[in-house]
Amino acid sequence: MSNSEKSCPIPMPINEEQRLQSVRAYEILDTPPEVEFDALTRIAAHTFNTPMAVVALMDTDRLWFKSRIGLDVPQLDRQIAFCSHTIVHPEAVLVMPDLKQDPRFEEHVLVRNAPKLRFYAGAPIVDARGLVLGTMAVLDTQPRPFSVEQQLALQDLATLVMTALDSRKRALQLAHMAMTDHLTGLSNRVQFDRALEAEMAHAMRNGEPFTVLCMDLDGFKEVNDGFGHAAGDEVLCEVSRRLAQQVRVGDVLARFGGDEFGIVMRHGAKDSAQVLAKRIVRAVSAPITLSTGDEIGVGISVGMAAYSDEVESVRKLLAQADQALYQAKKQNEKRWKMFVGIR
């Protein structure tokens, strides 16, 4: 079948923008097969004795199959997907007992050409806000009736799909929370360590350079002592924002706790990391205006260590970065004390 062939114009949900936002919030498009959805597809095909069944999500211009039986394509052009008609009616199952007898679809490409469909029944997969994410559908190459009881059973399966989607989303959110610093929204130490282990393994296999940076704020204690911990939290959030603006896509920026941060600079040799470190120092050192209107300043010390053949472990690489940070901190503390004394 050709996904480029078009059928009659398809209807569009009136809440299409919100519907698409909801679909994408589930972070499921283009993910591998998962047992919960495959089980529901098998149950649908068995229950209704159809050669084809799908769990499908409707994207902007395609119908993507999270699970499928009897179809050999991972997605369809939205223009030729019967489910495009199903999603505009959240409250009802769309049943077409004989597609050849339906004037809307008798010349449809999937009816005229392989797989020469004759029957379709689709139940909308509806989220808690009433937005249709996709369909639970069964199809056949023979016309057939579909009773009210069968329609209710298909709706029940669509509800179970929605339950599986919600459970999956909650699991993703919990996993994200476990890897995220609650104050700044950056990765936490757990995520940093995982990224560092993965990058070390990659470098040892392929010899590609990377650098780890450990950072500590200068003058942060004075902020907490002079303005309070709420001001300190503001500073940490602003510093995190500035750090995030400096790192490249793919690098991992993390807050370890307190005023300590780290970066796994992927595919970056030490000279590139030194350029990054200079940018970070300039960005962080710019004055910070608190919500109270007070203007304060902090600095940042940076220590780095680059992967080489002599580095046998993550522990050794981190020890080198920590030692470099210690030396940078000692030098910066002298300058910081002089700066504070002048003020």
Side-chain angles (χ1 to χ4, degrees):
M1 78 186 75
S2 171
N3 284 0
S4 61
E5 293 185 67
K6 300 295 186 286
S7 172
C8 56
I10 59 169
M12 193 67 65
I14 57 174
N15 51 14
E16 177 65 3
E17 184 177 343
Q18 293 89 341
R19 191 195 68 76
L20 285 171
Q21 288 174 353
S22 185
V23 170
R24 286 164 186 156
Y26 281 84
E27 300 181 41
I28 194 167
L29 293 174
D30 299 311
T31 57
E34 295 176 60
V35 62
E36 304 95 312
F37 302 99
D38 288 343
L40 290 169
T41 308
R42 287 194 298 271
I43 290 170
H46 175 74
T47 299
F48 304 111
N49 193 28
T50 57
M52 289 169 261
V54 297
V55 171
L57 285 302
M58 188 64 74
D59 198 2
T60 309
D61 55 6
R62 60 174 178 152
L63 179 72
W64 177 76
F65 301 131
K66 176 61 182 174
S67 179
R68 67 186 192 274
I69 288 175
L71 289 173
D72 59 358
V73 292
Q75 61 188 35
L76 288 174
D77 189 308
R78 185 170 179 172
Q79 291 290 332
I80 63 170
F82 299 118
C83 296
S84 297
H85 300 265
T86 307
I87 66 169
V88 297
H89 299 293
E91 72 290 343
V93 174
L94 177 62
V95 179
M96 294 178 280
D98 189 346
L99 290 162
K100 271 196 172 182
Q101 301 304 315
D102 190 320
R104 296 172 298 171
F105 303 111
E106 58 184 346
E107 296 300 321
H108 193 284
V109 60
L110 298 179
V111 175
R112 287 189 295 107
N113 304 329
K116 296 189 176 181
L117 297 175
R118 293 290 298 275
F119 167 82
Y120 168 92
I125 300 168
V126 186
D127 73 6
R129 295 189 295 160
L131 300 169
V132 182
L133 309 185
T135 59
M136 171 90 245
V138 290
L139 306 97
D140 201 343
T141 55
Q142 300 296 323
R144 57 190 300 163
F146 206 66
S147 69
V148 173
E149 290 77 12
Q150 288 175 313
Q151 293 178 43
L152 291 173
L154 189 60
Q155 280 183 316
D156 289 341
L157 287 174
T159 299
L160 291 176
V161 172
M162 192 67 247
T163 301
L165 285 169
D166 284 332
S167 296
R168 184 182 184 279
K169 185 179 183 180
R170 283 193 294 271
L172 287 175
Q173 290 171 336
L174 289 172
H176 177 71
M177 288 171 62
M179 299 292 176
T180 304
D181 175 62
H182 73 280
L183 176 65
T184 64
L186 299 181
S187 297
N188 61 15
R189 184 62 190 250
V190 174
Q191 178 71 353
F192 177 87
D193 288 343
R194 288 190 178 184
L196 184 54
E197 291 279 1
E199 198 61 27
M200 173 68 82
H202 177 78
M204 293 180 76
R205 288 194 307 270
N206 301 300
E208 291 188 17
F210 78 95
T211 304
V212 60
L213 293 84
C214 293
M215 300 167 288
D216 193 85
L217 295 185
D218 304 320
F220 184 69
K221 182 178 184 298
E222 287 77 8
V223 173
N224 276 334
D225 291 346
F227 297 89
H229 289 283
D233 287 349
E234 283 191 57
V235 169
L236 289 172
C237 290
E238 176 59 20
V239 167
S240 298
R241 186 188 68 80
R242 295 180 184 186
L243 290 174
Q245 289 178 334
Q246 302 306 316
V247 298
R248 306 167 308 175
V249 174
D251 294 342
V252 176
L253 166 65
R255 180 189 174 213
F256 296 159
D259 59 347
E260 299 177 347
F261 299 85
I263 297 172
V264 178
M265 188 178 184
R266 290 170 167 159
H267 313 301
K270 194 168 185 178
D271 54 350
S272 298
Q274 288 170 339
V275 173
L276 172 62
K278 290 178 182 177
R279 293 204 315 266
I280 285 173
V281 170
R282 284 196 301 269
V284 171
S285 299
I288 296 174
T289 302
L290 301 175
S291 59
T292 59
D294 294 305
E295 188 175 90
I296 62 173
V298 294
I300 192 166
S301 298
V302 183
M304 65 183 69
Y307 170 79
S308 68
D309 292 338
E310 290 73 39
V311 178
E312 312 97 3
S313 67
V314 165
R315 180 178 295 181
K316 184 173 182 179
L317 189 67
L318 279 175
Q320 292 177 0
D322 284 337
Q323 181 60 32
L325 175 60
Y326 175 75
Q327 295 299 328
K329 193 75 176 175
K330 281 176 58 176
Q331 295 176 2
N332 288 346
E333 278 179 354
K334 294 177 183 177
R335 290 197 293 267
W336 189 255
K337 286 177 182 177
M338 291 176 59
F339 173 71
V340 172
I342 292 171
R343 294 177 68 190

PDB file of all heavy atoms in Angstrom, residues 302-313:
ATOM      1  N   VAL A 302      36.291  26.114  38.732  1.00  0.00           N
ATOM      2  CA  VAL A 302      36.101  24.991  37.817  1.00  0.00           C
ATOM      3  C   VAL A 302      37.343  24.112  37.825  1.00  0.00           C
ATOM      4  O   VAL A 302      38.467  24.601  37.649  1.00  0.00           O
ATOM      5  CB  VAL A 302      35.821  25.476  36.384  1.00  0.00           C
ATOM      6  CG1 VAL A 302      35.552  24.280  35.464  1.00  0.00           C
ATOM      7  CG2 VAL A 302      34.668  26.454  36.341  1.00  0.00           C
ATOM      8  N   GLY A 303      37.138  22.832  38.039  1.00  0.00           N
ATOM      9  CA  GLY A 303      38.199  21.849  37.882  1.00  0.00           C
ATOM     10  C   GLY A 303      37.800  20.858  36.819  1.00  0.00           C
ATOM     11  O   GLY A 303      36.620  20.509  36.699  1.00  0.00           O
ATOM     12  N   MET A 304      38.751  20.404  36.021  1.00  0.00           N
ATOM     13  CA  MET A 304      38.390  19.498  34.931  1.00  0.00           C
ATOM     14  C   MET A 304      39.413  18.391  34.786  1.00  0.00           C
ATOM     15  O   MET A 304      40.572  18.521  35.205  1.00  0.00           O
ATOM     16  CB  MET A 304      38.243  20.267  33.623  1.00  0.00           C
ATOM     17  CG  MET A 304      39.531  20.889  33.118  1.00  0.00           C
ATOM     18  SD  MET A 304      39.253  21.849  31.604  1.00  0.00           S
ATOM     19  CE  MET A 304      38.309  23.217  32.248  1.00  0.00           C
ATOM     20  N   ALA A 305      38.972  17.306  34.209  1.00  0.00           N
ATOM     21  CA  ALA A 305      39.851  16.184  33.893  1.00  0.00           C
ATOM     22  C   ALA A 305      39.375  15.572  32.585  1.00  0.00           C
ATOM     23  O   ALA A 305      38.183  15.321  32.418  1.00  0.00           O
ATOM     24  CB  ALA A 305      39.842  15.153  35.009  1.00  0.00           C
ATOM     25  N   ALA A 306      40.307  15.353  31.667  1.00  0.00           N
ATOM     26  CA  ALA A 306      39.978  14.790  30.366  1.00  0.00           C
ATOM     27  C   ALA A 306      40.332  13.308  30.318  1.00  0.00           C
ATOM     28  O   ALA A 306      41.353  12.881  30.891  1.00  0.00           O
ATOM     29  CB  ALA A 306      40.719  15.538  29.266  1.00  0.00           C
ATOM     30  N   TYR A 307      39.500  12.543  29.670  1.00  0.00           N
ATOM     31  CA  TYR A 307      39.771  11.107  29.518  1.00  0.00           C
ATOM     32  C   TYR A 307      41.025  10.902  28.671  1.00  0.00           C
ATOM     33  O   TYR A 307      41.261  11.585  27.678  1.00  0.00           O
ATOM     34  CB  TYR A 307      38.591  10.405  28.852  1.00  0.00           C
ATOM     35  CG  TYR A 307      38.917   8.982  28.458  1.00  0.00           C
ATOM     36  CD1 TYR A 307      38.898   7.972  29.414  1.00  0.00           C
ATOM     37  CD2 TYR A 307      39.274   8.661  27.152  1.00  0.00           C
ATOM     38  CE1 TYR A 307      39.220   6.659  29.069  1.00  0.00           C
ATOM     39  CE2 TYR A 307      39.589   7.360  26.798  1.00  0.00           C
ATOM     40  CZ  TYR A 307      39.569   6.360  27.767  1.00  0.00           C
ATOM     41  OH  TYR A 307      39.888   5.084  27.419  1.00  0.00           O
ATOM     42  N   SER A 308      41.830   9.938  29.101  1.00  0.00           N
ATOM     43  CA  SER A 308      42.993   9.502  28.320  1.00  0.00           C
ATOM     44  C   SER A 308      43.183   8.011  28.554  1.00  0.00           C
ATOM     45  O   SER A 308      42.511   7.408  29.411  1.00  0.00           O
ATOM     46  CB  SER A 308      44.243  10.267  28.745  1.00  0.00           C
ATOM     47  OG  SER A 308      44.617   9.909  30.071  1.00  0.00           O
ATOM     48  N   ASP A 309      44.112   7.413  27.830  1.00  0.00           N
ATOM     49  CA  ASP A 309      44.345   5.975  27.965  1.00  0.00           C
ATOM     50  C   ASP A 309      44.853   5.608  29.351  1.00  0.00           C
ATOM     51  O   ASP A 309      44.754   4.446  29.766  1.00  0.00           O
ATOM     52  CB  ASP A 309      45.356   5.507  26.912  1.00  0.00           C
ATOM     53  CG  ASP A 309      44.795   5.581  25.504  1.00  0.00           C
ATOM     54  OD1 ASP A 309      43.559   5.583  25.371  1.00  0.00           O
ATOM     55  OD2 ASP A 309      45.586   5.646  24.545  1.00  0.00           O
ATOM     56  N   GLU A 310      45.420   6.595  30.057  1.00  0.00           N
ATOM     57  CA  GLU A 310      45.949   6.321  31.396  1.00  0.00           C
ATOM     58  C   GLU A 310      44.845   6.275  32.458  1.00  0.00           C
ATOM     59  O   GLU A 310      45.076   5.857  33.588  1.00  0.00           O
ATOM     60  CB  GLU A 310      46.971   7.385  31.807  1.00  0.00           C
ATOM     61  CG  GLU A 310      48.287   7.327  31.044  1.00  0.00           C
ATOM     62  CD  GLU A 310      48.152   7.823  29.613  1.00  0.00           C
ATOM     63  OE1 GLU A 310      47.413   8.814  29.400  1.00  0.00           O
ATOM     64  OE2 GLU A 310      48.747   7.196  28.719  1.00  0.00           O
ATOM     65  N   VAL A 311      43.658   6.735  32.113  1.00  0.00           N
ATOM     66  CA  VAL A 311      42.552   6.755  33.072  1.00  0.00           C
ATOM     67  C   VAL A 311      41.808   5.424  32.990  1.00  0.00           C
ATOM     68  O   VAL A 311      41.169   5.121  31.992  1.00  0.00           O
ATOM     69  CB  VAL A 311      41.588   7.920  32.778  1.00  0.00           C
ATOM     70  CG1 VAL A 311      40.419   7.905  33.752  1.00  0.00           C
ATOM     71  CG2 VAL A 311      42.324   9.244  32.858  1.00  0.00           C
ATOM     72  N   GLU A 312      41.912   4.637  34.074  1.00  0.00           N
ATOM     73  CA  GLU A 312      41.312   3.300  34.033  1.00  0.00           C
ATOM     74  C   GLU A 312      39.904   3.264  34.598  1.00  0.00           C
ATOM     75  O   GLU A 312      39.202   2.266  34.428  1.00  0.00           O
ATOM     76  CB  GLU A 312      42.159   2.298  34.832  1.00  0.00           C
ATOM     77  CG  GLU A 312      43.642   2.337  34.536  1.00  0.00           C
ATOM     78  CD  GLU A 312      44.412   3.180  35.543  1.00  0.00           C
ATOM     79  OE1 GLU A 312      43.783   3.670  36.495  1.00  0.00           O
ATOM     80  OE2 GLU A 312      45.617   3.350  35.351  1.00  0.00           O
ATOM     81  N   SER A 313      39.490   4.320  35.305  1.00  0.00           N
ATOM     82  CA  SER A 313      38.201   4.240  35.979  1.00  0.00           C
ATOM     83  C   SER A 313      37.568   5.609  36.130  1.00  0.00           C
ATOM     84  O   SER A 313      38.252   6.642  36.072  1.00  0.00           O
ATOM     85  CB  SER A 313      38.373   3.613  37.370  1.00  0.00           C
ATOM     86  OG  SER A 313      39.115   4.485  38.209  1.00  0.00           O
TER      87      SER A 313
END
